[in-house]
Amino acid sequence: MSFKEIKNMLRMINIDMNDIYAYRLFKECDKSNNDRLEEHEIEEFCTRLMARPELEEIFHGYSGEDCVLSAEELREFLRDQGEEASLQRAREIIQMYELNEKARQHDLMMLDGFTMYLLSSAGSILNQAHTGIYQDMTQPLCHYFISSSHNTYLTDNQIGGASSTEAYIRALMKGCRCVELDCWEGSSGEPVIYHGHTLTSKILFRDAIESIRDHAFKHSPYPLILSLENHCGLEQQSTMARHMKVILGDMLLTLPLDGDTPKQLPSPEQLKWKILVKGKKLPDDKSDSERGSFTSSHEEETEEDEDERSANSLQEIKPLQAKDATQISRELSDVVVYCRSVPFQSLARALHHQQPTEMSSFSERKARKLIKESGNLFVRYNARHLSRIYPLGLKMNSANYNPQEMWNAGCQL
């Protein structure tokens, strides 16, 4: 493998490493000096890659000159750490984490097994008894802070960074419960996801949904929200709806749980294992076209357009497809149930007229203004509705705002 291939391998296994350090390791392992690593050299590279000198020091402190931990020596280590220090417990750890079969048979632990143990959840400083859910999860969804991601598909900066389905996998495996999909018209009738009006790369909407399906509930059983930023025409909106229905199947929530418009949002417990779509919704009026209906392009302008224009004014990048969704497909509208995006006019109006299933998005600047001028009303609003606060478009390096002041006002997303 060349150094370029080694870097690709590291990227595939989610290792973000300084190029200088990686190249130094590469050269140290290249015994043949031909700028390539052969089989045994690749194995040595991976071993050095995982080396933890501080753990080696601890291991040798207890194992002595033979560089092997006996069950008795492991028990001594456990005792010094304040852990359960019986000989039986030491043997159980060896059987669970030791990689060498012969060592396991003799109740011995090598350095690799010791490292595996310390880097596992059993070696974590956090008591694993505290990782279980103990909070009351039967309150309305708006009563919880929700781990959220903005422009989830990007792996780098907001202007020219790469888009990847891997970014969705990483977010979901870290416990994220709201991911964003910026959807644009693609070729061959397939919608794509990318940061519109920029040089970021594109991924297929279908591929992103497949990755979401495979990883949505690996970290948490509680509901996942797909926040759609929709710039597609009617035909590709319908394609998006079909992809979600076919790929997500029963995971996708398409009807209210009780069959009627609720007086409050359902709880995370009720929504376990379900995927919710956040987007615009057509009124339930039979006089509307079955295909789609116009929305007010002025009032319901794409949530982030104002900030995006500010960011894009700093660059001369022309949009390849500047088609904003001034029409909503009936098929796409029908998959929106509990997270209907509506334009925000005022807190007074929202508190009296907005339904629990309706929510609004605010820029961080707008949210701070509401907190400063109408803090108590904003808290009351968030007690009944979901609100999503997105970072300013000027943050091109993908930096986030400090969410603490938004949390203090009860903002969930």
Side-chain angles (χ1 to χ4, degrees):
M1 296 179 74
S2 66
F3 180 63
K4 182 179 179 181
E5 290 168 332
I6 286 288
K7 286 207 306 180
N8 289 338
M9 179 190 74
L10 295 177
R11 193 175 298 112
M12 287 174 64
I13 58 178
N14 294 333
I15 294 180
D16 185 14
M17 177 176 287
N18 179 280
D19 281 355
I20 297 175
Y21 176 66
Y23 187 68
R24 193 180 80 205
L25 281 184
F26 178 88
K27 295 302 291 182
E28 289 174 357
C29 297
D30 182 18
K31 306 298 185 185
S32 54
N33 292 319
N34 63 354
D35 287 327
R36 299 185 70 82
L37 298 186
E38 308 301 333
E39 184 176 353
H40 66 284
E41 293 171 336
I42 295 172
E43 184 177 347
E44 183 181 351
F45 179 87
C46 291
T47 300
R48 292 195 182 201
L49 194 66
M50 296 184 292
R52 296 289 296 269
E54 72 278 18
L55 300 186
E56 290 183 31
E57 184 179 348
I58 296 171
F59 178 80
H60 293 309
Y62 285 91
S63 65
E65 295 182 358
D66 60 358
C67 296
V68 175
L69 272 181
S70 65
E72 290 77 9
E73 289 168 334
L74 180 57
R75 179 181 62 181
E76 182 183 350
F77 168 77
L78 293 173
R79 183 185 296 117
D80 291 346
Q81 306 309 309
E83 301 284 335
E84 180 187 344
S86 67
L87 202 57
Q88 178 62 29
R89 175 57 182 158
R91 290 187 178 121
E92 289 174 356
I93 291 173
I94 291 172
Q95 294 303 313
M96 185 173 297
Y97 295 100
E98 177 52 47
L99 304 175
N100 187 294
E101 185 176 350
K102 287 187 177 179
R104 282 202 310 272
Q105 290 173 354
H106 293 86
D107 284 333
L108 298 175
M109 178 171 266
M110 314 291 283
L111 175 60
D112 286 346
F114 185 71
T115 302
M116 290 282 288
Y117 165 60
L118 288 187
L119 297 182
S120 71
S121 59
S124 173
I125 192 172
L126 176 65
N127 186 334
Q128 294 305 296
H130 299 163
T131 59
I133 300 295
Y134 64 88
Q135 296 92 342
D136 177 10
M137 302 302 289
T138 63
Q139 300 297 313
L141 190 61
C142 53
H143 289 193
Y144 300 85
F145 297 126
I146 300 173
S147 178
S148 306
S149 169
H150 180 70
N151 290 355
T152 312
Y153 48 89
L154 286 178
T155 59
D156 205 331
N157 67 71
Q158 305 289 304
I159 303 304
S163 302
S164 172
T165 57
E166 183 67 28
Y168 286 99
I169 296 172
R170 291 183 188 180
L172 293 170
M173 295 308 290
K174 288 180 179 179
C176 189
R177 295 290 86 195
C178 177
V179 296
E180 186 178 34
L181 300 94
D182 279 359
C183 306
W184 295 78
E185 290 271 300
S187 59
S188 304
E190 284 293 336
V192 296
I193 294 173
Y194 84 113
H195 198 194
H197 306 183
T198 70
L199 297 175
T200 56
S201 61
K202 302 174 182 179
I203 57 175
L204 290 176
F205 177 83
R206 179 185 63 227
D207 292 345
I209 295 298
E210 288 177 348
S211 295
I212 289 168
R213 173 200 63 195
D214 295 340
H215 297 85
F217 301 110
K218 286 195 172 183
H219 187 274
S220 169
Y222 291 107
L224 173 66
I225 299 172
L226 306 185
S227 180
L228 299 185
E229 185 85 22
N230 178 18
H231 300 269
C232 295
L234 288 176
E235 185 175 341
Q236 292 202 17
Q237 288 182 39
S238 297
T239 300
M240 289 163 56
R242 286 195 298 273
H243 283 329
M244 287 190 285
K245 288 179 180 178
V246 171
I247 295 170
L248 299 178
D250 292 340
M251 289 190 289
L252 182 67
L253 189 74
T254 57
L255 294 171
L257 296 180
D258 56 7
D260 298 316
T261 302
K263 295 182 179 179
Q264 65 179 20
L265 287 169
S267 70
E269 189 67 30
Q270 291 174 298
L271 293 169
K272 264 186 173 181
W273 314 109
K274 290 297 181 183
I275 294 177
L276 315 181
V277 175
K278 171 192 165 293
K280 294 172 184 174
K281 190 171 180 67
L282 297 173
D284 296 324
D285 187 340
K286 292 182 180 179
S287 64
D288 283 332
S289 165
E290 288 300 312
R291 176 91 175 134
S293 175
F294 279 97
T295 62
S296 169
S297 59
H298 175 70
E299 287 188 357
E300 296 198 20
E301 185 179 26
T302 303
E303 294 159 358
E304 299 170 34
D305 277 354
E306 182 178 350
D307 286 316
E308 296 296 340
R309 281 197 298 272
S310 298
N312 293 332
S313 66
L314 302 180
Q315 49 185 314
E316 294 183 0
I317 298 175
K318 299 296 183 183
L320 297 178
Q321 296 163 345
K323 182 185 289 185
D324 286 336
T326 54
Q327 279 187 309
I328 303 299
S329 155
R330 174 60 70 182
E331 292 95 325
L332 188 60
S333 170
D334 286 346
V335 300
V336 177
V337 180
Y338 289 119
C339 299
R340 177 184 176 184
S341 299
V342 296
F344 179 82
Q345 297 179 1
S346 71
L347 283 172
R349 188 181 189 285
L351 286 168
H352 289 92
H353 301 288
Q354 194 166 312
Q355 297 299 313
T357 56
E358 297 175 334
M359 61 175 292
S360 297
S361 293
F362 309 87
S363 71
E364 55 177 294
R365 183 186 293 120
K366 176 67 172 178
R368 289 194 181 99
K369 183 178 180 182
L370 288 172
I371 292 169
K372 182 178 180 180
E373 297 178 357
S374 310
N376 289 337
L377 286 179
F378 199 27
V379 171
R380 284 178 54 197
Y381 172 84
N382 287 322
R384 191 164 183 259
H385 305 277
L386 290 172
S387 62
R388 171 178 169 268
I389 317 299
Y390 55 89
L392 293 175
L394 294 172
K395 293 185 174 178
M396 299 180 195
N397 64 347
S398 300
N400 200 6
Y401 58 85
N402 184 346
Q404 188 62 57
E405 56 187 322
M406 316 303 179
W407 288 339
N408 292 345
C411 303
Q412 306 88 349
L413 296 152

